[in-house]
Amino acid sequence: MTYYTVGTIVNTHGIKGEVRVIATTDFPQKRFAKGAVLWAFMPNATQPTKLTVATVRQHKQFYLLSFTGYPSINDVEGFKTATLKISEDELQADDLQPGEYYYHQIVGLDVVTVAGDKLGTVKEILSPGANDVWVVQRPGQSDLLLPVIDQVVKDVDLDQHQVTVELMEGLD
């Protein structure tokens, strides 16, 4: 089964079994909703632990979650540093608007110019602020940083496994 990361447990919170989570998803209200199923991957465990969200609330930049069957701090202490993931069947296309994509759909795509020249492959996505930046690995050259804006990204074709871009002056 394939899993996708939605957050990381960074610490416990209080004595009633809550944990602090840093979200790494664009849909935290859905992924951390009461009744949502998450999988906790601990660094040294061989199998993930299935967790069902019992309560959720936001506190500063964190989400505070508690899980069904884990009522005290002693029960959740072992989840510190766990990565929270969802299974592939929990991803839903209706989460996305037209022209939006999951990161895992973009990473690995070939990048070509509008003239048809192959630039490289998207190896990573950065989220520094106003817009995402795609890191394109180019053979024999340094990585190219492409801002994800309409003037640069002209077409994303998942079926053809490629992104068509128009390089603005100064990007290369």
Side-chain angles (χ1 to χ4, degrees), residues 123-168:
K123 76 170 190 178
E124 182 181 4
I125 298 176
L126 307 175
S127 298
N131 54 274
D132 287 348
V133 175
W134 293 348
V135 181
V136 179
Q137 186 173 20
R138 301 184 293 181
Q141 298 180 48
S142 61
D143 292 344
L144 174 65
L145 301 178
L146 287 179
V148 183
I149 56 176
D150 292 340
Q151 294 91 334
V152 175
V153 178
K154 296 301 182 183
D155 183 50
V156 176
D157 190 338
L158 297 178
D159 294 331
Q160 294 297 317
H161 200 261
Q162 79 176 21
V163 177
T164 305
V165 299
E166 184 173 338
L167 293 180
M168 296 172 64

Side-chain angles (χ1 to χ4, degrees), residues 1 18 25 37-38 40 44-46 51 56 58 65 68 71 76 80 85 100 121 125 132 141-142 146 153 155 158 170:
M1 187 181 289
E18 285 185 312
T25 175
V37 174
L38 301 171
N44 296 322
T46 57
L51 301 170
V56 60
Q58 203 166 352
L65 306 179
T68 304
V76 297
K80 278 194 214 176
K85 300 185 178 198
E100 292 182 336
T121 305
I125 298 176
D132 287 348
Q141 298 180 48
S142 61
L146 287 179
V153 178
D155 183 50
L158 297 178

